[in-house]
Amino acid sequence: MSISRRTILKYSSLGGAAVATAGLPRFAIGGTAKIKVGVMLPFTGTYAALGEQGINGLKLALAGQGNKLGGREVEIVTLDDESDPSRAPANATKLIKGDNVDLLYGTVHSGVVMGMVKVARETETLLVIPNAGAAAATGAMCAPNIFRTSFSNWQPAFPMGKVAYDKGYRTAVTMTWKYGAGTESVDAFKEAFEAAGGKVVKEILVPFPDVEFQANLADIANTKADVVYVFFAGGGAVKFVKDYASAGLRKTIPLVGAGFLTEGTLAAQGEAAEGLLTTLHYADGLDLPANRKFRAEYKKAYGKEADLYGVQAYDAGMLLVTGFGAVKGDTAAKADLYSAMGRTVLDSPRGAISFSAAHNPVQDIYLREVRKGENVVVGIAGKAVTDPARGCKMGA
Ligand code: PHB
């Protein structure tokens, strides 16, 4: 797949027409105006810590460029999306029409990002996604103007299916919040676990962002399955891991998950998280120059340790730096901007990443084990894992 020629021509001709009508040298006005970035992130609720890393990482990348993109000053407008999908289209529209932002950046929650995707497509506004893994964003709803620097929900979950089977587990229970990220994550685990010969015997869904897990933990105890796979993140992940340990289940049924379960949460989870196996495209301790540099800079700037969510945000900033650098800050040069972004290879703190034709990262998935309060890399669960991008017609 590649971005269709027709789409590129459409964008080029729009840019050309605007220049001709204005009768000005290309990009005479834009050169002095600021580039406005409209940020939607959860600054409150169960994903608040993820939102904080999501803005910090972006600002860190921009600070490294003197707060400029392609030579133009950057202005950031932020909005707390509260992980509320119902308000997402109105929030994204407000940023574009009310605040006149040049591009959208966000968010954490898969349901909210789908509202942003809809508005970005309708208004042909650039959208860069620093976390939310909704399959459709780089699948059925993929578009030349939509990029993701994080993952699809499938990516970290699928490799765990084989890992679990190879550890000798044959029956599994899955549990998650009932919304896109949760269901896509457990479906991907199930896809790989059952393809290997295992069987998912029970699938438990709880409303987002509920953290009343007791009744479900009692159900899990009764199933006598070999393993439990979950997707939880942020505040909900802290609560789930502690409840699982308190219920005494750690001794009877091993718990595994997509790495969000133990990401940015270990200090709060303490002893309850020791020994947990997860799969993710990052680990704090990765011994790579880019990771050491990023973590030191993040700590210096914010007085806190970075985690995956900061990495993905930093990479989103660096993707913008490369793209706008290539077009010298010309927001009207859409075809050139998107093609430069699509070709970018980032020296990410997680290891090098490139972008698939659907604009989702191609990346290694690490197997991690919590040891002494740290996610330690114990193997590679998947090499250069590419999301299947089901339904993406871009460039077909
Ligand atoms: C999502 O909703 O896509 C999501 C949220 C938090 C995570 C991962 C994915 O940690």
Side-chain angles (χ1 to χ4, degrees):
M1 279 186 295
S2 66
I3 295 170
S4 85
R5 195 172 142 71
R6 201 185 315 134
T7 312
I8 290 178
L9 289 177
K10 190 169 116 198
Y11 280 117
S12 329
S13 62
L14 277 178
V19 172
T21 318
L24 290 166
R26 186 171 166 82
F27 180 44
I29 301 169
T32 51
K34 289 184 177 174
I35 293 187
K36 264 187 151 182
V37 181
V39 172
M40 273 175 69
L41 286 170
F43 295 115
T44 52
T46 203
Y47 289 157
L50 288 63
E52 186 189 329
Q53 294 259 340
I55 186 77
N56 286 352
L58 173 69
K59 285 187 173 168
L60 187 64
L62 294 176
Q65 310 291 320
N67 272 319
K68 290 190 171 165
L69 284 174
R72 292 171 63 185
E73 289 279 339
V74 177
E75 181 182 340
I76 292 180
V77 184
T78 56
L79 186 157
D80 181 3
D81 68 38
E82 297 172 46
S83 296
D84 181 354
S86 71
R87 295 219 307 282
N91 281 337
T93 304
K94 180 195 161 290
L95 286 171
I96 294 169
K97 300 265 158 71
D99 297 303
N100 286 315
V101 301
D102 294 295
L103 64 119
L104 284 179
Y105 169 92
T107 185
V108 167
H109 184 286
S110 274
V112 177
V113 97
M114 289 318 298
M116 299 179 78
V117 163
K118 179 173 173 287
V119 174
R121 286 174 61 103
E122 285 165 4
T123 58
E124 294 186 357
T125 304
L126 171 60
L127 165 63
V128 178
I129 306 167
N131 184 70
T138 57
M141 303 291 277
C142 72
N145 55 314
I146 298 174
F147 289 82
R148 174 155 57 196
T149 58
S150 50
F151 57 90
S152 72
N153 292 317
W154 185 91
Q155 277 180 306
F158 184 83
M160 184 49 98
K162 175 123 188 351
V163 168
Y165 187 85
D166 288 347
K167 285 194 76 66
Y169 307 138
R170 294 295 177 265
T171 55
V173 175
T174 63
M175 181 165 164
T176 189
W177 281 312
K178 187 176 180 177
Y179 86 100
T183 51
E184 288 174 9
S185 180
V186 300
D187 285 355
F189 167 80
K190 181 178 176 178
E191 186 187 336
F193 187 63
E194 297 202 335
K199 177 87 192 135
V200 172
V201 294
K202 191 175 180 68
E203 301 181 58
I204 302 171
L205 295 172
V206 294
F208 176 87
D210 280 13
V211 290
E212 287 313 315
F213 302 128
Q214 294 307 333
N216 306 111
L217 292 173
D219 279 354
I220 288 176
N222 289 331
T223 62
K224 310 236 177 330
D226 294 339
V227 67
V228 174
Y229 172 90
V230 299
F231 166 89
F232 287 109
V238 172
K239 178 79 168 34
F240 184 84
V241 165
K242 290 179 116 177
D243 285 3
Y244 198 87
S246 301
L249 283 167
R250 288 298 305 281
K251 287 179 218 80
T252 50
I253 312 182
L255 173 64
V256 299
F260 314 108
L261 188 65
T262 57
E263 192 62 24
T265 56
L266 289 174
Q269 288 163 335
E271 192 59 31
E274 279 301 302
L276 288 181
L277 272 187
T278 63
T279 37
L280 198 69
H281 45 295
Y282 182 65
D284 292 354
L286 282 177
D287 191 17
L288 301 169
N291 191 39
R292 285 195 296 270
K293 178 170 175 282
F294 163 75
R295 297 196 66 84
E297 284 176 5
Y298 189 101
K299 183 138 194 210
K300 185 157 176 255
Y302 306 108
K304 286 185 189 174
E305 293 295 335
D307 59 33
L308 167 77
Y309 307 105
V311 170
Q312 298 172 156
Y314 181 81
D315 288 344
M318 293 314 292
L319 180 62
L320 290 172
V321 166
T322 322
F324 281 102
V327 296
K328 302 197 167 45
D330 184 357
T331 46
K334 293 186 173 189
D336 291 343
L337 173 63
Y338 303 156
S339 105
M341 289 173 72
R343 284 194 314 269
T344 299
V345 175
L346 288 177
D347 184 18
S348 168
R350 76 189 92 169
I353 56 167
S354 59
F355 292 87
S356 68
H359 296 170
N360 190 66
V362 176
Q363 54 196 341
D364 294 346
I365 302 294
Y366 303 100
L367 178 62
R368 309 142 12 121
E369 182 179 340
V370 179
R371 292 183 188 160
K372 298 203 179 95
E374 234 187 88
N375 289 296
V376 174
V377 174
V378 294
I380 307 279
K383 196 84 198 134
V385 175
T386 310
D387 178 76
R390 289 164 186 147
C392 176
K393 300 272 189 327
M394 202 150 54

